[in-house]
Amino acid sequence: MTTRDPNQIASYQDRLGRNIAARLSDTTHDLPNDISERLKAARMQALAKRNVVKLQTATSVNVQGGAATLNAGGFDGGLWSRLGAVIPLLALVAGLLTIAVVQEQQRTNEIADVDTELLTDDLPPAAYTDPGFAHFLSINRRD
């Protein structure tokens, strides 16, 4: 797949537009006066209605911790934009705290289950630390 440079595409579009405009301009000399006046009025209306993009330059650049933000100035977001920035952060913190609490509870339950099994088993807890018992268990698993 070939990718074209945006500058080449814009240049091609500009040349195509100039060629079309030149051909249309060549034929306007043969039009009657009333038609050319109507076309002129329509052109003026179209130019008045076109969307003019106004670019605003950044008034300041804020750099903090390796991240840069542009400040256009004159816009104070107010309470709603501040809440819009804080609410997702609060939701993230609440989610992380919930995950931590649930995992800690699961670990506690698992340890309690193991302790319960050890204490209610027929063997004393010291038997599990005996090396001979571990050897006995490994021999019985092979059979």
Side-chain angles (χ1 to χ4, degrees):
M1 180 174 176
T2 44
T3 57
R4 294 187 181 185
D5 185 27
N7 293 332
Q8 288 177 339
I9 294 171
S11 173
Y12 174 73
Q13 289 173 346
D14 288 342
R15 281 186 282 135
L16 179 64
R18 281 191 219 106
N19 288 340
I20 291 172
R23 289 199 179 208
L24 290 173
S25 296
D26 289 342
T27 58
T28 57
H29 300 297
D30 301 334
L31 291 176
N33 191 28
D34 63 330
I35 293 177
S36 62
E37 289 300 318
R38 286 192 325 200
L39 287 174
K40 182 179 177 182
R43 186 178 323 121
M44 294 304 224
Q45 286 178 352
L47 288 175
K49 289 182 181 180
R50 75 176 182 184
N51 292 334
V52 178
V53 177
K54 293 183 180 180
L55 298 178
Q56 182 180 6
T57 58
T59 58
S60 67
V61 177
N62 302 326
V63 179
Q64 184 177 13
T69 58
L70 297 176
N71 185 9
F75 176 72
D76 182 23
L79 179 65
W80 289 111
S81 70
R82 288 186 186 135
L83 283 176
V86 171
I87 289 175
L89 181 64
L90 291 175
L92 177 66
V93 169
L96 290 174
L97 289 174
T98 303
I99 290 171
V101 167
V102 168
Q103 285 183 343
E104 185 64 29
Q105 186 66 35
Q106 285 178 344
R107 268 190 238 115
T108 304
N109 289 341
E110 289 172 359
I111 291 171
D113 290 342
V114 169
D115 287 347
T116 303
E117 289 293 325
L118 280 174
L119 293 173
T120 58
D121 197 9
D122 293 336
L123 292 173
Y128 290 102
T129 60
D130 185 20
F133 182 69
H135 181 67
F136 171 74
L137 288 177
S138 66
I139 289 173
N140 284 342
R141 285 187 188 157
R142 289 186 204 150
D143 294 337

